[in-house]
Amino acid sequence: MADQRDPAPYDALLLLSFGGPEGPDDVVPFLENVTRGRGIPKERLKEVGQHYFLFGGVSPINDQNRALLAALREDFAGAGLDLPVYWGNRNWAPYLTDTLREMVMDGRRHIAVLATSAYASYSGCRQYRENLADALATLEAEGLPLPRVDKLRHYFNHPGFVRPMIDGVLKSLAELDESVRPGAHLAFTTHSIPTSAADTSGPVEEHGEGGAYVTQHLDVAKLIADAVRDQTGVEHPWQLVYQSRSGAPHIPWLEPDICDHLERLHAAGAPAVVMVPIGFVSDHMEVLYDLDTEATAKAAELGLPVRRSATVGDDPRFAAAVRDLVLERAAAERGTVVERCALGALGPSHDLCPIGCCPARTERPAAAGADSPYA
């Protein structure tokens, strides 16, 4: 029983997220952080920032992370797991480098890292690893002792991530009128990325059309659709669709877009749709704007009944899943054979990102992988 509560060799957990503005004056500086090095004019950033200004310049992601931070601390304490939890962001306060510096000053030397991105991709995994390497390089330049950082595995198919989403779909279906509920379609949504990035996502052996990114999302979508069928007795048609495209028009990105999909479903006579944001851990801006605002407005224009199911957020089952991920990795680091929880056809993901996994657009060091300069 002691091993089930033993986080050694880890002495802290870092919740690592994207970050977001917390007021109108933060929006453009935040977007400058996100797009740094791309040469995007400030006037264009102000246009992009209109999505944030619609919500008072505040992204919900930081409050979501505060809630998850509290849920993790509550779960760890309730389970007798003595492991402090810190929080740092890539693009806004609290910044990753500042948080890592605080952790080092607190004496933390072996840190488990949970990124708020469940799937394999450059932007969802390797870029976080590059940010970790940048932060470690800064601490090294400051003469501080460097901690070891281990990024926890992808958790897209962990029961604690999947089952709350199943319940969210069931709740959304129950909210539809009985006359349209049996024929409702499920539109599983995730962030669109360039097809070139999708095709090279995951380990080299998983590269190909859509790569691990699409394969993992399809596996989760099928898990949820099958569970809904088993619990309701109804086979709801479903499809994986995309949202939040932000790249140049001439560069191919994953399709179809959710709004285009709603138009096609309506034209084909679908009576209703439940939008299921499986690609997002919490209800951040891209969920609130792209689904709750833009896609919902499109559905209203079409006269198509639509609901949006909940993301996992700070669900206690997800907090317990994070504890499970920490303890399984800790046991593996101690050389113990552990059973890893995973649903679906793909099995548990790797602990250590191999060389060639989700390659960078440009050559940059990345921590917490087989090619890490900070082993």
Side-chain angles (χ1 to χ4, degrees):
M1 291 297 293
D3 284 346
Q4 295 180 19
R5 295 189 298 273
D6 185 2
Y10 298 113
D11 54 18
L13 172 68
L14 169 62
L15 176 64
L16 177 55
S17 193
F18 192 81
E22 302 207 68
D25 294 341
D26 296 344
V27 173
V28 171
F30 162 74
L31 292 173
E32 287 175 332
N33 288 342
V34 173
T35 61
R36 193 173 305 283
R38 302 184 202 172
I40 299 176
K42 183 170 287 190
E43 290 308 311
R44 174 59 182 149
L45 294 179
K46 289 180 181 177
E47 292 176 21
V48 174
Q50 290 306 313
H51 296 179
Y52 291 95
F53 292 129
L54 287 173
F55 295 88
V58 178
S59 168
I61 192 171
N62 283 344
D63 278 345
Q64 290 276 341
N65 282 326
R66 291 183 184 101
L68 177 56
L69 193 67
L72 291 172
R73 288 169 174 165
E74 181 179 356
D75 176 87
F76 286 12
L81 178 61
D82 184 17
L83 192 71
V85 187
Y86 295 74
W87 167 38
N89 291 324
R90 284 168 47 179
N91 299 300
W92 202 249
Y95 287 103
L96 168 59
T97 301
D98 295 337
T99 300
L100 270 184
R101 186 184 296 110
E102 176 189 357
M103 297 176 83
V104 167
M105 298 300 287
D106 287 347
R108 312 305 174 192
R109 295 295 181 267
H110 201 153
I111 299 166
V113 180
L114 178 84
T116 55
S117 177
Y119 302 84
S121 70
Y122 170 75
S123 57
C125 183
R126 185 178 175 92
Q127 194 170 15
Y128 280 103
R129 294 176 48 223
E130 291 175 353
N131 297 143
L132 283 166
D134 291 343
L136 291 171
T138 298
L139 298 188
E140 187 174 36
E142 294 173 355
L144 293 173
L146 293 187
R148 174 172 166 176
V149 294
D150 292 337
K151 182 178 176 293
L152 299 176
R153 68 175 172 93
H154 300 301
Y155 46 85
F156 62 92
N157 56 2
H158 194 288
F161 185 67
V162 175
R163 286 174 179 151
M165 292 191 289
I166 294 170
D167 289 348
V169 174
L170 293 169
K171 182 175 184 295
S172 293
L173 284 169
E175 292 171 353
L176 291 169
D177 190 272
E178 290 183 11
S179 63
V180 299
R181 187 184 307 150
H185 286 237
L186 307 180
F188 293 98
T189 76
T190 191
H191 204 301
S192 183
I193 61 175
T195 56
S196 59
D199 293 347
T200 56
S201 57
V204 172
E205 61 270 19
E206 296 177 30
H207 292 180
E209 187 174 355
Y213 185 74
V214 172
T215 300
Q216 290 170 0
H217 280 88
L218 286 172
D219 196 50
V220 172
K222 185 178 186 304
L223 277 169
I224 296 172
D226 287 351
V228 169
R229 179 202 60 216
D230 292 346
Q231 294 190 49
T232 64
V234 178
E235 185 90 43
H236 291 275
W238 64 269
Q239 185 172 338
L240 177 64
V241 300
Y242 303 93
Q243 61 175 89
S244 314
R245 175 187 171 130
S246 59
H250 68 281
I251 298 176
W253 283 52
L254 294 173
E255 296 178 334
D257 176 76
I258 178 61
C259 289
D260 295 338
H261 183 61
L262 293 176
E263 288 185 338
R264 291 180 191 131
L265 287 181
H266 178 256
V273 179
V274 173
M275 300 182 292
V276 192
I278 60 171
F280 304 89
V281 172
S282 65
D283 289 3
H284 57 69
M285 184 56 67
E286 286 166 320
V287 175
L288 290 190
Y289 181 80
D290 296 329
L291 296 183
D292 293 357
T293 304
E294 191 173 50
T296 300
K298 171 58 70 176
E301 173 191 320
L302 297 168
L304 178 64
V306 68
R307 294 291 185 276
R308 195 269 291 175
S309 68
T311 53
V312 172
D314 60 344
D315 189 290
R317 289 168 292 183
F318 181 49
V322 174
R323 168 167 44 90
D324 184 52
L325 292 170
V326 170
L327 291 176
E328 71 166 33
R329 181 64 182 273
E333 291 294 315
R334 297 194 303 268
T336 303
V337 177
V338 291
E339 182 178 351
R340 298 165 184 264
C341 291
L343 301 174
L346 299 180
S349 187
H350 50 262
D351 278 341
L352 195 68
C353 290
I355 295 173
C357 188
C358 304
R361 302 163 190 162
T362 57
E363 199 65 34
R364 286 182 61 189
D371 55 353
S372 172
Y374 299 101

